Amino acid sequence: MPITCFLRRFRAASALAVLALPLFGPTSANAAGTLAGTDISNTAVVTFDVAGTTLTRDSNTVTLTVAETLDVAVIVQSTQQSVDSGAVGQELLFTVTNTGNGSESFLLNFDNDFVADPGVDFNPVGQTPAIYFDTDGSGDFSAGDVAYNAGVNDPVLAADASVDILIVNDIPAGLVNGNIGRSALLATANTGSGAGGTAFAGQGTGGVDAVVGASGGTQTATGEYIVSEVTLNANKSASIADPFGGSQPVPGATITYTIAIDVASAGTAVGAVVRDAIPANTTYVANSLSLNGAALSDAADGDAGELDTATVPTVVVRLGDVTQASGTQTIQFDVVIL
């Protein structure tokens, strides 16, 4: 069964900076001060004169041991995720960082119950299990990702360390374009949480006291899904002009490729980009690229197209956001058969 989602009161989303994943390398975040268990010692020295002789006396040494602070940050890494109605296995990526000053383990939980909030249309349905470690560091849910089991493999993070976590949800059927759903990840220090300054005697790293920090020892971040079902059609055709006035695909013939893009449904195809690799045994005809009859330069400049020669020469045309109202977007370019 999925972990019970009962934590709606912890919904303040984190605004902390994105932090790297400690299981795959060091992080660049700053933990909260001196490490827990560090001794801070000092001795006062008194200097005085007696009969022309300078004498010194040391005070007793006072040693204090730094307590552990219980602090955590959770941020959502995923931008708003576009999903289809009824889609399964849709992930959101989060980063959990131990911003305290000692090693700490964290209990993870998720909350999908936001439908009563303004602007939220549906509750995603957490899979069983719903929380995974991003084991392969891909940022996407994949077969190698390890499921989280509360109390069994709670992440143990050194001060300043972080781990990437996935929440995997199914999207209900029957939704319409523009519907919004939300899902939150909560992380809580296992040693304890509560009001800042709450102390847990002897329960910190190495047996020092643990003290709840500014985060309250618990924090949450919320990700968002938007239903965006868009049917986009891409049709490609070719015409041939050979050197003899015919249309045979012989060496020296010019092939004109035409790509027609149109949206056949409601919704917006956001940031549409067309890429078409120049076929083997042909060569691109310089400055032959056009969009809707308007010439595009081969350079990566201010217009929508270019010929990318970084690896295999590839025609690239950036259409931007495309809807039904945009009409058919027509791309053309020429190649010559070698």
Side-chain angles (χ1 to χ4, degrees), residues 9-145:
R9 64 184 182 277
F10 297 108
R11 287 188 180 162
S14 170
L16 296 176
V18 173
L19 302 170
L21 196 157
L23 300 182
F24 303 94
T27 70
S28 58
N30 294 316
T34 305
L35 289 177
T38 301
D39 286 339
I40 297 176
S41 301
N42 79 324
T43 304
V45 178
V46 181
T47 302
F48 58 99
D49 289 340
V50 175
T53 300
T54 299
L55 302 175
T56 61
R57 294 290 184 270
D58 293 344
S59 73
N60 58 300
T61 298
V62 175
T63 300
L64 301 174
T65 302
V66 176
E68 179 184 347
T69 55
L70 302 173
D71 270 317
V72 62
V74 182
I75 62 170
V76 58
Q77 301 274 28
S78 299
T79 57
Q80 187 185 63
Q81 295 290 89
S82 296
V83 294
D84 292 341
S85 178
V88 299
Q90 303 300 297
E91 77 278 347
L92 292 169
L93 179 66
F94 299 80
T95 298
V96 176
T97 302
N98 178 9
T99 54
N101 65 342
S103 179
E104 182 62 36
S105 67
F106 294 92
L107 177 70
L108 305 179
N109 211 323
F110 75 99
D111 180 9
N112 285 350
D113 187 13
F114 290 88
V115 75
D117 292 357
V120 179
D121 304 293
F122 68 92
N123 287 333
V125 179
Q127 291 197 340
T128 305
I131 301 177
Y132 287 80
F133 296 97
D134 185 23
T135 308
D136 60 6
S138 66
D140 298 316
F141 180 48
S142 53
D145 294 331

Side-chain angles (χ1 to χ4, degrees), residues 205-299:
T205 300
V208 301
D209 293 347
V211 180
V212 176
S215 70
T218 184
Q219 197 171 66
T220 189
T222 304
E224 189 167 274
Y225 298 103
I226 182 169
V227 175
S228 181
E229 295 181 312
V230 178
T231 301
L232 187 147
N233 298 319
N235 296 301
K236 185 174 180 180
S237 59
S239 62
I240 302 171
D242 69 33
F244 313 107
S247 57
Q248 298 299 318
V250 296
T254 297
I255 305 173
T256 298
Y257 287 115
T258 301
I259 307 166
I261 309 292
D262 66 89
V263 175
S265 68
T268 302
V270 177
V273 180
V274 178
R275 294 179 173 85
D276 195 351
I278 303 304
N281 302 310
T282 70
T283 184
Y284 171 76
V285 176
N287 299 312
S288 64
L289 181 61
S290 68
L291 173 62
N292 298 328
L296 300 175
S297 69
D298 294 340

